[in-house]
Amino acid sequence: MSYWISYCPCNVGTGLRISAKLRLPILSTRSDFKENCKNLGLQIRGASGVDSIPTDGIVELSNANRVGNTENELASLFTSGILKIMKWEEDLEQTIDKKSF
């Protein structure tokens, strides 16, 4: 009888994955959204999980890196990235509101 043990290398290290679901109807439609998230150390998923497409502007963002950082560092990077994303969406909403008048 043989047994095999396998693992996912993406979970080596702390294995900490932090995620948040956000509604970003403007930002999520921009062609540079994925690249901007990547530059912040975030990865994007649709609301239904891995490989799903964002619908209705709802995305799940999580920390891309799980190796080589402490839990505190990962939480800090994630939080600062999410706050920037939320600010960008808010700024875009205000720009659109001003153009409506």
Side-chain angles (χ1 to χ4, degrees), residues 3 6 12 25-28 30-31 33 41-42 46 53 57 65-66 68 74 79-81 83 85 87-88 101:
Y3 294 97
S6 65
V12 173
I26 304 167
L27 200 55
S28 65
R30 292 176 51 107
S31 60
F33 179 56
L42 301 173
I53 298 168
N65 187 13
R66 293 173 183 85
L74 292 174
T79 303
S80 65
L83 290 173
I85 293 283
K87 176 73 172 127
W88 291 341
F101 291 108

Side-chain angles (χ1 to χ4, degrees), residues 58-78:
I58 298 173
V59 297
E60 180 182 343
L61 297 169
S62 62
N63 54 307
N65 187 13
R66 293 173 183 85
V67 180
N69 296 87
T70 67
E71 288 87 351
N72 287 338
E73 290 169 334
L74 292 174
S76 178
L77 290 169
F78 176 77

Side-chain angles (χ1 to χ4, degrees), residues 19-55:
S19 67
K21 285 187 181 178
L22 300 173
R23 186 169 182 277
L24 305 168
I26 304 167
L27 200 55
S28 65
T29 61
R30 292 176 51 107
S31 60
D32 60 350
F33 179 56
K34 190 172 186 176
E35 185 65 29
N36 287 332
C37 288
K38 184 179 178 179
N39 291 338
L40 293 172
L42 301 173
Q43 65 183 175
I44 306 166
R45 298 176 183 206
S48 299
V50 177
D51 297 327
S52 65
I53 298 168
T55 55

Side-chain angles (χ1 to χ4, degrees), residues 8-19:
C8 178
C10 68
N11 290 324
V12 173
T14 66
L16 180 65
R17 179 179 177 272
I18 307 166
S19 67

